[in-house]
Amino acid sequence: MAKLKGKALFAASTLLAAIGFLLFGYDQGVMSGVVSNQRFKDTMGNPDSALMGAIVALYEIGCMAGALSTGRIGDWLGRRKTIRLGCVILIVGAVLQTAAVNSAMMIVARIVTGVGNGMNTATIPVYQAELSPPKSRGTHVAFEASLLAVGVAIAYWIEYGLFFVDGEVAWRFPLAFQMFFAIILCVASFVLPESPRWLQSHGYEEECKVVLARLWTDEDVSHPRCIAEWEEIRDGIELERREGVSSYKELFKKGRLNNRYRVLLGMGGQLIQQFGGINVISYYLTDVFIQAGMTTEMAMLMTGIDGIVYFLGACTPIYTIDRLGRRKLMYLGLIGQAATLLIVGGCQYLVENGNTNASPGVIAFVMIYNFVFGAAWLGLAWLYPSEIFTTGLRAKGNSMSTAANWLGNFVVAMIAPVLFEYAKYWTFLMFGILNVVFLIPIYLWYPETKGKSLEEIEVLFSSEEVQEDSRSLSHIGSVSAYDSKRDAESLAQRPHSSRMYSFGSRPGSRRMPSSFSVVHPKSEKPNPNSAAGQVKQEYTKGDDEVKGPNFK
């Protein structure tokens, strides 16, 4: 840490997050080839579809338990140490998976591995969001999500190569290879800084300033950019402390900070991702291609090619998520996923009725589906919860939303083999229809968050009383103002792609004000033409108009 600063330090922290998601992706993709390996089936006692589903899916229960544990552990140990602990647990689980001699041992090993992975997936997006500048936060989280697709592709290609190898190494080596990424991630956690927001909230004020100075300047704690962000973080935490919000119980209370709304949005987004059909594809992709009429060898080759397509799709949000915003990508992703899955279902129906000419249609549109998913919901479901919670509840809120992801993951992975056996082509049609249904909650309840600091978002979800209170803390919004108006150095440090456009002044949803700008304490009323004045007008309209996210 002492030798890293500026862009090098921020790039290293982003790479840490990305490696964590690469490991996550590898874990997601590795079982696709393992479950289709006959020697694996023999070792597991040739399980039926229900037991095979349990072997795959109980991993998600471990992930859910690990994610839930980070609500307290993440606030107690900090972000870095939580990631480190998750890696150690994951390595133990990977060793047990590699050595498994029957289905019972494999299930236990999968659950242990899941606990470690769940801790990482709940913590890493929080760590990345708390370090990233407001106007490129989406880009950086999208980058780490793109590495998830790389992990999936690595798993697919390793298993394709080992398809031609005799013996149990063909399925044991891919499971053992999880440890390689976990060790890298664990070592990296010793080099990189702690989250400045965690440091400030736990009384490490000077350490917080030092981390900000190393991230954005030449270790100058008096630099205006560092002062602006530290004051904003300090005021945001002070605002939370006035509300006395820090426990899990507070997550499910509306209150003046509207925490219940936040947690339902975070959990809902993760469930939308899971019930959009991705794990029907990821876990059982080889079997999907075999059902479409391919040989096992060709199915595994096409699975590897699909991994490349998935990665290409996952790269696109790096350039689009801070341009288009969160809501537009949510819409586009759901529409694209619905269309492709419905077409896959139709083609699969023809294949099942003897029309082999439809087989290429299944393959092509499964790949297009993965491209679309990578381009939208792959990263969105992880980015949105990391943005919307207050600092004191961010670890707990993100642990709940991540647990919802793993719960949905478990349900889908568990029922998929049974659906393939009995529902057949209706499996794809069902998930396609669900994507259409999910457009409704996005339209009704998910506001835009692009371009705002975490403290601004914290205030924007809150009640009018908290909005008024926050204006007495004059530094919330200062980083966004500083970045956009005064600091050319900060602008130069952001990725070039995020400097090629300007943000629109209005969000996609009127449930959230367009922006929140601080008012100097000596000003009794904000200028009606200012951003703060717009917020005031938004919240003081007549009863027949929208009053903000808290209005019921």
Side-chain angles (χ1 to χ4, degrees):
M1 177 178 169
K3 295 182 180 179
L4 288 175
K5 58 186 177 182
K7 288 189 285 188
L9 179 58
F10 183 67
S13 67
T14 302
L15 188 60
L16 165 67
I19 292 172
F21 266 69
L22 188 150
L23 172 58
F24 173 25
Y26 185 86
D27 280 352
Q28 291 291 89
V30 72
M31 290 306 289
S32 176
V34 170
V35 298
S36 63
N37 185 285
Q38 188 56 50
R39 286 187 177 271
F40 172 78
K41 293 177 182 177
D42 292 341
T43 303
M44 297 299 113
N46 289 303
D48 58 21
S49 59
L51 181 55
M52 184 64 80
I55 291 171
V56 173
L58 285 172
Y59 164 80
E60 326 295 350
I61 297 299
C63 290
M64 184 173 68
L68 287 172
S69 73
T70 61
R72 296 194 183 280
I73 294 174
D75 281 336
W76 174 43
L77 294 179
R79 314 312 187 210
R80 290 190 310 161
K81 290 181 180 178
T82 302
I83 293 170
R84 200 175 302 155
L85 178 59
C87 289
V88 171
I89 295 172
L90 192 149
I91 290 168
V92 172
V95 170
L96 293 174
Q97 282 190 72
T98 306
V101 295
N102 54 46
S103 58
M105 184 175 177
M106 177 58 73
I107 287 173
V108 171
R110 294 273 295 163
I111 292 172
V112 173
T113 306
V115 170
N117 195 38
M119 294 178 72
N120 287 344
T121 55
T123 306
I124 287 171
V126 170
Y127 179 78
Q128 182 67 57
E130 290 185 339
L131 260 66
S132 298
K135 297 217 172 173
S136 60
R137 185 174 55 247
T139 296
H140 299 302
V141 176
F143 170 72
E144 75 182 43
S146 72
L147 268 289
L148 188 156
V150 172
V152 172
I154 290 172
Y156 287 165
W157 282 107
I158 284 177
E159 289 175 330
Y160 175 68
L162 290 172
F163 174 78
F164 303 98
V165 176
D166 291 328
E168 294 189 345
V169 68
W171 68 265
R172 293 192 188 273
F173 177 79
L175 295 176
F177 196 63
Q178 297 170 87
M179 290 181 277
F180 175 73
F181 302 115
I183 291 169
I184 292 176
L185 183 59
C186 186
V187 171
S189 71
F190 286 93
V191 179
L192 299 175
E194 182 53 82
S195 158
R197 287 172 170 85
W198 183 88
L199 290 169
Q200 181 68 27
S201 67
H202 286 75
Y204 300 105
E205 186 173 292
E206 293 306 313
E207 290 87 340
C208 173
K209 293 177 181 178
V210 169
V211 169
L212 292 173
R214 284 178 171 157
L215 279 169
W216 309 121
T217 73
D218 189 19
E219 298 186 87
D220 179 7
V221 294
S222 63
H223 190 282
R225 173 63 172 78
C226 298
I227 293 172
E229 184 163 5
W230 175 74
E231 288 178 333
E232 181 169 21
I233 292 170
R234 179 200 62 194
D235 286 1
I237 292 170
E238 172 61 25
L239 187 64
E240 291 177 46
R241 286 175 176 164
R242 292 185 186 185
E243 299 299 315
V245 173
S246 62
S247 68
Y248 266 111
K249 184 179 179 181
E250 298 294 336
L251 280 174
F252 297 96
K253 289 182 178 180
K254 179 185 175 183
R256 300 205 313 163
L257 291 175
N258 231 347
N259 292 312
R260 184 173 61 202
Y261 182 35
R262 300 174 200 248
V263 77
L264 290 176
L265 289 184
M267 295 175 71
Q270 292 283 20
L271 289 174
I272 286 172
Q273 184 201 63
Q274 290 308 304
F275 287 97
I278 182 58
N279 283 322
V280 170
I281 306 299
S282 293
Y283 283 139
Y284 302 102
L285 185 58
T286 303
D287 287 339
V288 169
F289 287 153
I290 290 172
Q291 289 176 19
M294 286 188 162
T295 63
T296 301
E297 178 183 342
M298 183 56 69
M300 295 192 75
L301 175 61
M302 296 308 296
T303 297
I305 294 172
D306 177 84
I308 296 173
V309 174
Y310 190 15
F311 170 66
L312 293 175
C315 286
T316 63
I318 297 172
Y319 304 98
T320 60
I321 200 163
D322 281 324
R323 281 184 169 88
L324 299 178
R326 288 39 163 170
R327 278 172 60 90
K328 285 184 181 178
L329 272 188
M330 288 177 178
Y331 285 133
L332 292 172
L334 290 173
I335 292 168
Q337 289 168 201
T340 51
L341 285 176
L342 291 173
I343 294 171
V344 169
C347 292
Q348 185 62 28
Y349 167 78
L350 295 175
V351 171
E352 290 172 9
N353 285 274
N355 187 348
T356 56
N357 292 329
S359 180
V362 174
I363 298 159
F365 281 95
V366 162
M367 291 187 179
I368 294 172
Y369 168 85
N370 269 352
F371 182 92
V372 172
F373 177 83
W377 277 93
L378 173 64
L380 282 169
W382 299 101
L383 169 63
Y384 204 80
S386 71
E387 295 181 313
I388 62 176
F389 293 105
T390 62
T391 299
L393 289 177
R394 188 166 292 118
K396 294 180 176 67
N398 217 61
S399 76
M400 293 297 300
S401 61
T402 305
N405 175 285
W406 291 114
L407 178 61
N409 212 319
F410 167 74
V411 172
V412 174
M414 190 73 187
I415 66 175
V418 179
L419 288 174
F420 284 138
E421 185 175 350
Y422 296 105
K424 298 184 179 179
Y425 71 92
W426 270 105
T427 303
F428 302 105
L429 297 180
M430 178 185 73
F431 284 106
I433 293 168
L434 282 175
N435 278 282
V436 176
V437 172
F438 292 148
L439 291 168
I440 298 171
I442 299 304
Y443 174 77
L444 292 176
W445 297 308
Y446 282 75
E448 184 57 71
T449 58
K450 76 170 183 179
K452 297 177 174 66
S453 72
L454 298 180
E455 285 69 31
E456 286 179 285
I457 296 170
E458 176 179 328
V459 170
L460 290 171
F461 272 91
S462 303
S463 68
E464 184 176 355
E465 292 86 354
V466 175
Q467 293 251 346
E468 293 291 346
D469 191 15
S470 68
R471 293 184 184 114
S472 69
L473 300 168
S474 60
H475 300 99
I476 293 178
S478 59
V479 173
S480 296
Y482 192 88
D483 281 355
S484 61
K485 295 178 182 178
R486 300 202 310 256
D487 196 348
E489 177 186 354
S490 176
L491 185 63
Q493 288 180 359
R494 293 202 297 271
H496 186 268
S497 62
S498 70
R499 294 187 271 120
M500 299 298 290
Y501 63 95
S502 61
F503 292 96
S505 62
R506 302 298 299 177
S509 170
R510 295 189 63 213
R511 284 178 170 74
M512 179 172 282
S514 60
S515 59
F516 184 87
S517 181
V518 298
V519 181
H520 202 278
K522 68 182 180 182
S523 302
E524 293 184 1
K525 292 184 180 180
N527 185 330
N529 296 320
S530 69
Q534 293 175 21
V535 171
K536 182 68 176 174
Q537 292 174 34
E538 189 79 24
Y539 278 88
T540 55
K541 291 178 179 177
D543 291 340
D544 58 334
E545 296 187 66
V546 177
K547 290 191 176 181
N550 59 294
F551 182 69
K552 299 292 181 289

